[in-house]
Amino acid sequence: MAQTRVLLVDDEFEFVSTLAERLQMRNYTVDIASNGIEAMAAFHKSTPDVVILDLKMPGINGLEILKNIKKFDPSIEVIILTGHGDMQSVEEGMKNGASEYIMKPIDINELTSKNDIAAERRKKSLYQG
């Protein structure tokens, strides 16, 4: 079975690097981006199955990245990360196509579980569509 390709987008470099390592140890293929421009470049270079996306970032925020991803390919699964307890932003993200959200600090088992479910949904949508 092919590895799930994940794109991690967060402006906190140490957080995203550590999370990428933890996911790679669990057999995911991981690309990282620290801002919206890097995220869209990485997205177009190698389309992920799942995007794990922080909403609060300088410049292009996570909501704009989400909208751009969904315009390009609605089957991409997006999991929102938020450390701010900003449920209004999470609700806005869910309305714009995010499938899940996780509050920081992250429980790696919760993240991998939600990531696996999201990857399965994407695979099903690709086979049906």
Side-chain angles (χ1 to χ4, degrees):
M1 182 166 88
Q3 286 184 327
T4 299
R5 178 170 290 282
V6 176
L7 173 58
L8 283 175
V9 185
D10 195 300
D11 62 321
E12 298 175 40
F13 180 76
E14 286 192 26
F15 169 78
V16 79
S17 297
T18 300
L19 187 55
E21 287 177 19
R22 294 181 77 190
L23 288 172
Q24 289 167 339
M25 290 182 345
R26 287 165 175 80
N27 214 28
Y28 295 93
T29 301
V30 182
D31 295 314
I32 62 172
S34 61
N35 60 51
I37 293 169
E38 287 179 12
M40 294 313 298
F43 178 84
H44 289 294
K45 180 180 176 189
S46 183
T47 304
D49 298 301
V50 179
V51 177
I52 300 172
L53 176 63
D54 188 21
L55 286 180
K56 301 287 184 182
M57 294 186 294
I60 302 170
N61 69 28
L63 196 54
E64 290 303 313
I65 297 167
L66 169 63
K67 290 176 184 178
N68 285 329
I69 287 169
K70 289 298 187 170
K71 274 187 217 172
F72 182 77
D73 185 344
S75 75
I76 302 293
E77 292 287 326
V78 178
I79 299 172
I80 294 172
L81 296 179
T82 186
H84 302 278
D86 183 1
M87 289 310 293
Q88 184 177 4
S89 294
V90 170
E91 288 171 9
E92 187 72 19
M94 300 298 275
K95 286 179 190 172
N96 282 283
S99 58
E100 293 281 352
Y101 73 93
I102 296 178
M103 302 295 283
K104 292 179 183 176
I106 290 176
D107 176 307
I108 192 68
N109 293 322
E110 177 187 13
L111 179 61
T112 57
S113 175
K114 288 185 176 190
N115 192 55
D116 291 343
I117 291 166
E120 279 303 311
R121 270 195 307 264
R122 171 151 162 80
K123 288 175 186 159
K124 284 181 185 175
S125 72
L126 291 175
Y127 293 128
Q128 292 173 353

